[in-house]
Amino acid sequence: MTMIYYTLGNSGLRVSRLALGTMTFGTEWGWGADRDTARAMFDAYVEAGGNFFDTADLYTGGTAETWLGEFVAERGLRDKAVIATKFTMNSNPGNPNAGGNGRKNIMRAVDASLKRLGTDYIDLYLMHVWDRLTPAEEVLRTLDDLVRAGKIRHIGLSDVPAWYAGRAQAIAELRGYEPISALQLEYSLAERAIEHEFVPFGTRHGAGIMVWSPLASGLLSGKYRPMQAGNAGRLDGFRNTTHPGFQKFTDHNWAVVAELEKVAAELGRGMAQVALNWVATQPGIATVILGATRLSQLQDNVAALDFSIPPALRQRLDKVSGTPAPFPHSYFGPEIQVRVAGGVVTGDKPSGYALPVVVEGEAVAISSN
């Protein structure tokens, strides 16, 4: 495939539409990829034109960051690679300041990540999850200091409330801090909640959305069935979990899986490719993080943008995966808004008002030969 690059949010950072996730780099958690498999997936992704790598200090006890840094160095890709990593999680039980989003932990975590990655700067540094305690002012000031010190280039937020993201961006704008360029959030045909708050925020206030779990932890790959017995994959091990990210076996999601299978068959594509394509081409999405444990999975996923989903088939996926708008979003549809506009057709800007910027074509010669 021909990889296309777009800027991340309102930044000038160019990233590929598919990112390589490294949470599967290492087997310390009882699943994942060994070193040789991880390197093979890394190589396949790079050879396909990918340049965006997502990791975190939490992943496999630091192995993911270490291996990623080594793979990048082995191929001399540091100037080409865009590396994103995250802080927040605590790996030192009994020490409350070894986790969270306070200045003390951020400063500790960034130096530890830089060491494991074997680099002197991080392209995108993200808060992994809201800790419910640290003021946004402290987080933004600390991250801005790290940008000014040259340790990080851009900043982002992952798994936060929409109001927190809005407040953080407002603080950055008003105080002249480095703005938030990215939001890393769960999104898939089985989890569409971000459409109500985060997508409008990201598109209007300059934060590109990086999607995690676009296959709903593998549910949308087709390997799981409602009445299935046995162990089809990692998600089976979480059937009784309290972890909200792995509670995927619901009647609604089984209906999504059934319709996805039909649409994929009509397109002559695998279910995973169709699910990834749907996510990547939704409004507000900057990049989709691919997570694989086998080279064949990664190779299949990288081809997910080699086709288009026809409007009629897309509408079927939209319908089966949709859920009723929660309050107050139920008041923002045409039923109420038409009364606000007095029954007159009213919009933001006419179609074609702002054309997209896409740089393509042949480069001019600079030699007389």
Side-chain angles (χ1 to χ4, degrees):
M1 66 169 293
T2 300
M3 193 69 76
I4 299 174
Y5 309 88
Y6 289 101
T7 52
L8 183 63
N10 277 352
S11 77
L13 189 65
R14 284 83 160 173
V15 300
S16 47
R17 294 177 70 196
L18 300 175
L20 181 62
T22 67
M23 190 170 72
T24 59
F25 281 21
T27 58
E28 286 82 353
W29 290 349
W31 49 270
D34 60 26
R35 186 182 179 87
D36 289 342
T37 301
R39 180 189 280 112
M41 292 192 294
F42 174 90
D43 289 340
Y45 174 74
V46 170
E47 288 159 12
N51 76 336
F52 199 12
F53 304 90
D54 178 75
T55 190
D57 57 2
L58 164 75
Y59 296 164
T60 53
T63 295
E65 283 188 326
T66 300
W67 287 3
L68 175 60
E70 291 173 354
F71 298 162
V72 168
E74 287 169 3
R75 296 191 54 155
L77 296 175
R78 186 62 194 95
D79 286 342
K80 182 178 181 180
V82 177
I83 297 176
T85 192
K86 301 180 281 293
F87 66 89
T88 297
M89 300 302 182
N90 196 315
S91 59
N92 185 6
N95 179 5
N97 285 308
N101 303 319
R103 187 179 185 92
K104 181 177 178 66
N105 183 55
I106 295 175
M107 301 298 279
R108 177 206 63 79
V110 71
D111 286 338
S113 286
L114 288 169
K115 183 177 181 179
R116 282 189 293 270
L117 288 164
T119 184
D120 57 4
Y121 73 96
I122 294 164
D123 295 288
L124 177 66
Y125 202 41
L126 300 109
M127 188 176 86
H128 206 153
V129 66
W130 181 45
D131 67 5
R132 302 178 61 192
L133 297 171
T134 309
E137 292 86 347
E138 181 175 341
V139 176
L140 269 293
R141 174 58 190 269
T142 303
L143 293 176
D144 186 68
D145 286 346
L146 291 176
V147 171
R148 294 172 187 271
K151 292 188 176 184
I152 63 178
R153 299 291 190 259
H154 301 276
I155 68 172
L157 302 173
S158 175
D159 303 336
V160 300
W163 68 261
Y164 184 95
R167 175 166 175 75
Q169 193 72 305
I171 291 170
E173 292 173 353
L174 291 172
R175 298 192 178 184
Y177 295 161
E178 178 68 22
I180 297 161
S181 298
L183 295 171
Q184 190 169 130
L185 302 162
E186 181 178 7
Y187 187 46
S188 72
L189 282 165
E191 177 50 77
R192 296 180 57 180
I194 70 168
E195 294 175 359
H196 301 294
E197 295 280 354
F198 290 99
V199 170
F201 165 76
T203 54
R204 295 176 186 178
H205 299 289
I209 294 175
M210 302 170 61
V211 172
W212 64 264
S213 198
L215 296 180
S217 300
L219 180 72
L220 302 177
S221 68
K223 69 172 66 174
Y224 302 96
R225 300 296 172 182
M227 304 305 293
Q228 176 178 275
N231 186 15
R234 174 166 55 97
L235 195 56
D236 273 319
F238 293 95
R239 282 185 181 268
N240 299 314
T241 186
T242 57
H243 192 304
F246 295 112
Q247 295 175 0
K248 304 300 184 187
F249 298 129
T250 66
D251 290 341
H252 173 268
N253 286 350
W254 289 130
V256 171
V257 170
E259 188 64 24
L260 174 62
E261 184 174 24
K262 295 176 184 176
V263 169
E266 292 182 40
L267 286 170
R269 292 281 178 170
M271 293 172 63
Q273 287 187 342
V274 176
L276 290 169
N277 186 295
W278 181 90
V279 166
T281 52
Q282 286 288 98
I285 304 307
T287 191
V288 177
I289 300 171
L290 306 178
T293 56
R294 300 193 308 274
L295 177 59
S296 59
Q297 288 177 323
L298 190 281
Q299 291 170 328
D300 180 77
N301 291 351
V302 166
L305 299 183
D306 288 349
F307 64 98
S308 297
I309 301 175
L313 296 184
R314 191 178 197 93
Q315 288 172 7
R316 283 166 52 183
L317 294 175
D318 291 345
K319 182 177 180 180
V320 73
S321 62
T323 56
F327 178 84
H329 299 278
S330 55
Y331 271 60
F332 305 150
E335 301 84 357
I336 300 296
Q337 293 295 307
V338 166
R339 296 200 66 180
V340 175
V344 178
V345 176
T346 307
D348 178 18
K349 300 292 188 296
S351 177
Y353 177 86
L355 297 177
V357 177
V358 179
V359 180
E360 56 184 343
E362 297 294 329
V364 297
I366 58 174
S367 172
S368 60
N369 295 330

PDB file of all heavy atoms in Angstrom, residues 137-150:
ATOM      1  N   GLU A 137      -3.575  22.397  35.703  1.00  0.00           N
ATOM      2  CA  GLU A 137      -2.536  23.425  35.614  1.00  0.00           C
ATOM      3  C   GLU A 137      -1.147  22.844  35.864  1.00  0.00           C
ATOM      4  O   GLU A 137      -0.175  23.207  35.187  1.00  0.00           O
ATOM      5  CB  GLU A 137      -2.806  24.542  36.634  1.00  0.00           C
ATOM      6  CG  GLU A 137      -4.031  25.371  36.329  1.00  0.00           C
ATOM      7  CD  GLU A 137      -5.324  24.787  36.877  1.00  0.00           C
ATOM      8  OE1 GLU A 137      -5.337  23.594  37.289  1.00  0.00           O
ATOM      9  OE2 GLU A 137      -6.333  25.521  36.904  1.00  0.00           O
ATOM     10  N   GLU A 138      -1.036  21.939  36.843  1.00  0.00           N
ATOM     11  CA  GLU A 138       0.259  21.328  37.161  1.00  0.00           C
ATOM     12  C   GLU A 138       0.742  20.435  36.023  1.00  0.00           C
ATOM     13  O   GLU A 138       1.927  20.448  35.662  1.00  0.00           O
ATOM     14  CB  GLU A 138       0.157  20.524  38.454  1.00  0.00           C
ATOM     15  CG  GLU A 138       1.469  19.876  38.870  1.00  0.00           C
ATOM     16  CD  GLU A 138       1.376  19.183  40.225  1.00  0.00           C
ATOM     17  OE1 GLU A 138       0.433  19.500  40.981  1.00  0.00           O
ATOM     18  OE2 GLU A 138       2.237  18.337  40.512  1.00  0.00           O
ATOM     19  N   VAL A 139      -0.184  19.670  35.459  1.00  0.00           N
ATOM     20  CA  VAL A 139       0.182  18.778  34.355  1.00  0.00           C
ATOM     21  C   VAL A 139       0.659  19.580  33.150  1.00  0.00           C
ATOM     22  O   VAL A 139       1.722  19.296  32.576  1.00  0.00           O
ATOM     23  CB  VAL A 139      -1.020  17.896  33.953  1.00  0.00           C
ATOM     24  CG1 VAL A 139      -0.667  17.035  32.737  1.00  0.00           C
ATOM     25  CG2 VAL A 139      -1.458  17.019  35.115  1.00  0.00           C
ATOM     26  N   LEU A 140      -0.113  20.599  32.758  1.00  0.00           N
ATOM     27  CA  LEU A 140       0.227  21.380  31.562  1.00  0.00           C
ATOM     28  C   LEU A 140       1.525  22.152  31.748  1.00  0.00           C
ATOM     29  O   LEU A 140       2.338  22.249  30.828  1.00  0.00           O
ATOM     30  CB  LEU A 140      -0.917  22.331  31.218  1.00  0.00           C
ATOM     31  CG  LEU A 140      -1.995  21.816  30.256  1.00  0.00           C
ATOM     32  CD1 LEU A 140      -1.416  21.601  28.866  1.00  0.00           C
ATOM     33  CD2 LEU A 140      -2.628  20.529  30.753  1.00  0.00           C
ATOM     34  N   ARG A 141       1.742  22.714  32.939  1.00  0.00           N
ATOM     35  CA  ARG A 141       2.981  23.465  33.188  1.00  0.00           C
ATOM     36  C   ARG A 141       4.188  22.534  33.120  1.00  0.00           C
ATOM     37  O   ARG A 141       5.221  22.867  32.526  1.00  0.00           O
ATOM     38  CB  ARG A 141       2.923  24.157  34.554  1.00  0.00           C
ATOM     39  CG  ARG A 141       4.229  24.854  34.961  1.00  0.00           C
ATOM     40  CD  ARG A 141       4.656  25.915  33.942  1.00  0.00           C
ATOM     41  NE  ARG A 141       6.005  26.402  34.216  1.00  0.00           N
ATOM     42  CZ  ARG A 141       6.272  27.458  34.993  1.00  0.00           C
ATOM     43  NH1 ARG A 141       5.293  28.093  35.605  1.00  0.00           N
ATOM     44  NH2 ARG A 141       7.517  27.857  35.175  1.00  0.00           N
ATOM     45  N   THR A 142       4.059  21.342  33.703  1.00  0.00           N
ATOM     46  CA  THR A 142       5.170  20.397  33.698  1.00  0.00           C
ATOM     47  C   THR A 142       5.492  19.943  32.281  1.00  0.00           C
ATOM     48  O   THR A 142       6.664  19.888  31.876  1.00  0.00           O
ATOM     49  CB  THR A 142       4.840  19.175  34.568  1.00  0.00           C
ATOM     50  OG1 THR A 142       4.523  19.613  35.894  1.00  0.00           O
ATOM     51  CG2 THR A 142       6.019  18.220  34.636  1.00  0.00           C
ATOM     52  N   LEU A 143       4.467  19.615  31.503  1.00  0.00           N
ATOM     53  CA  LEU A 143       4.700  19.178  30.131  1.00  0.00           C
ATOM     54  C   LEU A 143       5.290  20.303  29.290  1.00  0.00           C
ATOM     55  O   LEU A 143       6.158  20.067  28.430  1.00  0.00           O
ATOM     56  CB  LEU A 143       3.393  18.672  29.518  1.00  0.00           C
ATOM     57  CG  LEU A 143       2.830  17.385  30.136  1.00  0.00           C
ATOM     58  CD1 LEU A 143       1.478  17.047  29.511  1.00  0.00           C
ATOM     59  CD2 LEU A 143       3.803  16.214  29.964  1.00  0.00           C
ATOM     60  N   ASP A 144       4.837  21.535  29.518  1.00  0.00           N
ATOM     61  CA  ASP A 144       5.408  22.667  28.796  1.00  0.00           C
ATOM     62  C   ASP A 144       6.881  22.844  29.139  1.00  0.00           C
ATOM     63  O   ASP A 144       7.706  23.132  28.261  1.00  0.00           O
ATOM     64  CB  ASP A 144       4.634  23.941  29.122  1.00  0.00           C
ATOM     65  CG  ASP A 144       5.088  25.133  28.300  1.00  0.00           C
ATOM     66  OD1 ASP A 144       4.851  25.133  27.070  1.00  0.00           O
ATOM     67  OD2 ASP A 144       5.704  26.055  28.862  1.00  0.00           O
ATOM     68  N   ASP A 145       7.222  22.662  30.414  1.00  0.00           N
ATOM     69  CA  ASP A 145       8.634  22.746  30.812  1.00  0.00           C
ATOM     70  C   ASP A 145       9.467  21.694  30.090  1.00  0.00           C
ATOM     71  O   ASP A 145      10.610  21.955  29.681  1.00  0.00           O
ATOM     72  CB  ASP A 145       8.764  22.543  32.327  1.00  0.00           C
ATOM     73  CG  ASP A 145       8.304  23.759  33.128  1.00  0.00           C
ATOM     74  OD1 ASP A 145       8.133  24.838  32.523  1.00  0.00           O
ATOM     75  OD2 ASP A 145       8.113  23.616  34.347  1.00  0.00           O
ATOM     76  N   LEU A 146       8.914  20.496  29.906  1.00  0.00           N
ATOM     77  CA  LEU A 146       9.650  19.429  29.226  1.00  0.00           C
ATOM     78  C   LEU A 146       9.822  19.734  27.745  1.00  0.00           C
ATOM     79  O   LEU A 146      10.843  19.378  27.143  1.00  0.00           O
ATOM     80  CB  LEU A 146       8.934  18.091  29.413  1.00  0.00           C
ATOM     81  CG  LEU A 146       8.949  17.527  30.837  1.00  0.00           C
ATOM     82  CD1 LEU A 146       8.133  16.241  30.916  1.00  0.00           C
ATOM     83  CD2 LEU A 146      10.382  17.267  31.305  1.00  0.00           C
ATOM     84  N   VAL A 147       8.824  20.392  27.144  1.00  0.00           N
ATOM     85  CA  VAL A 147       8.965  20.821  25.752  1.00  0.00           C
ATOM     86  C   VAL A 147      10.081  21.857  25.646  1.00  0.00           C
ATOM     87  O   VAL A 147      10.953  21.779  24.766  1.00  0.00           O
ATOM     88  CB  VAL A 147       7.642  21.397  25.210  1.00  0.00           C
ATOM     89  CG1 VAL A 147       7.852  22.044  23.841  1.00  0.00           C
ATOM     90  CG2 VAL A 147       6.590  20.307  25.117  1.00  0.00           C
ATOM     91  N   ARG A 148      10.075  22.820  26.546  1.00  0.00           N
ATOM     92  CA  ARG A 148      11.094  23.872  26.524  1.00  0.00           C
ATOM     93  C   ARG A 148      12.491  23.316  26.799  1.00  0.00           C
ATOM     94  O   ARG A 148      13.488  23.839  26.288  1.00  0.00           O
ATOM     95  CB  ARG A 148      10.750  24.959  27.551  1.00  0.00           C
ATOM     96  CG  ARG A 148       9.479  25.735  27.210  1.00  0.00           C
ATOM     97  CD  ARG A 148       9.052  26.671  28.318  1.00  0.00           C
ATOM     98  NE  ARG A 148       7.752  27.277  28.047  1.00  0.00           N
ATOM     99  CZ  ARG A 148       7.570  28.404  27.389  1.00  0.00           C
ATOM    100  NH1 ARG A 148       8.621  29.073  26.927  1.00  0.00           N
ATOM    101  NH2 ARG A 148       6.362  28.882  27.184  1.00  0.00           N
ATOM    102  N   ALA A 149      12.554  22.232  27.577  1.00  0.00           N
ATOM    103  CA  ALA A 149      13.842  21.598  27.871  1.00  0.00           C
ATOM    104  C   ALA A 149      14.310  20.700  26.727  1.00  0.00           C
ATOM    105  O   ALA A 149      15.449  20.213  26.752  1.00  0.00           O
ATOM    106  CB  ALA A 149      13.738  20.780  29.157  1.00  0.00           C
ATOM    107  N   GLY A 150      13.453  20.465  25.743  1.00  0.00           N
ATOM    108  CA  GLY A 150      13.823  19.645  24.597  1.00  0.00           C
ATOM    109  C   GLY A 150      13.663  18.154  24.799  1.00  0.00           C
ATOM    110  O   GLY A 150      14.033  17.367  23.928  1.00  0.00           O
TER     111      GLY A 150
END
